[in-house]
Amino acid sequence: MQAKIKYTIEPMELKNYETVFILTPLLNEVQMQETVEKFRQVLKENGADIIHEENWGLRKLAYPIQKKSTGFYHLVEFKAPGTVIDALELAYRRDEKVVRFLTTALDKHAVAYNERRRNGEFKSQAKKEEVKA
């Protein structure tokens, strides 16, 4: 008599991630927003929950990339299963508007730090130090 083995499928564990991407400076405001929305849709379609977004605007690059010295920086913090990263990075690689990107898995300390930063704790500390000086 054979024993029946019962398999259970556990739901995918959601992890916290942060992605920063740099878009070419040749885009106008509308094109930049459309590109950011496209990446936001990739995340949502693959089951990601966007926690926070920041548009850092046009900034100088540390070194020239593709003969460009500036780029539009954008940060997205999200919670998703690990399979989302492959889809997101594939979308980055296929889009010629993306100059560079970096996606990082966040540990519990980074999540806590980002939450404190979003709540403005570090800005108030910097102001207190300026007042003392």
Side-chain angles (χ1 to χ4, degrees):
M1 188 169 158
Q2 293 181 347
K4 290 187 178 180
I5 299 173
K6 189 174 183 180
Y7 294 101
T8 59
I9 299 173
E10 295 182 27
M12 283 195 216
E13 185 179 335
L14 299 180
K15 289 181 67 177
N16 289 295
Y17 294 95
E18 180 176 81
T19 185
V20 177
F21 54 94
I22 306 171
L23 301 175
T24 181
L26 304 176
L27 303 175
N28 62 32
E29 190 70 26
V30 174
Q31 291 170 321
M32 185 190 67
Q33 291 301 329
E34 287 173 353
T35 305
V36 170
E37 182 59 35
K38 180 176 86 170
F39 296 129
R40 207 179 289 133
Q41 282 304 115
V42 169
L43 287 170
K44 289 179 183 175
E45 288 170 2
N46 288 288
D49 179 29
I50 297 175
I51 297 170
H52 182 68
E53 265 187 88
E54 289 181 24
N55 181 2
W56 294 345
L58 187 66
R59 294 195 168 203
K60 188 171 179 358
L61 301 174
Y63 54 89
I65 302 172
Q66 299 171 1
K67 298 183 181 179
K68 294 170 181 65
S69 60
T70 59
F72 290 104
Y73 283 67
H74 199 84
L75 172 124
V76 180
E77 186 180 342
F78 59 96
K79 193 175 229 177
T83 57
V84 172
I85 304 307
D86 291 335
L88 178 64
E89 291 190 352
L90 181 63
Y92 286 151
R93 286 186 183 96
R94 286 183 173 168
D95 195 327
E96 61 189 28
K97 298 171 195 153
V98 177
V99 178
R100 283 284 191 276
F101 64 89
L102 178 67
T103 304
T104 309
L106 303 176
D107 64 1
K108 64 181 182 180
H109 304 292
V111 171
Y113 174 84
N114 283 349
E115 191 172 319
R116 289 178 61 198
R117 187 175 55 86
R118 279 195 306 273
N119 293 334
E121 284 185 40
F122 302 115
K123 289 180 183 178
S124 61
Q125 288 177 357
K127 287 180 183 180
K128 287 178 187 177
E129 289 175 7
E130 286 178 14
V131 171
K132 289 180 183 178

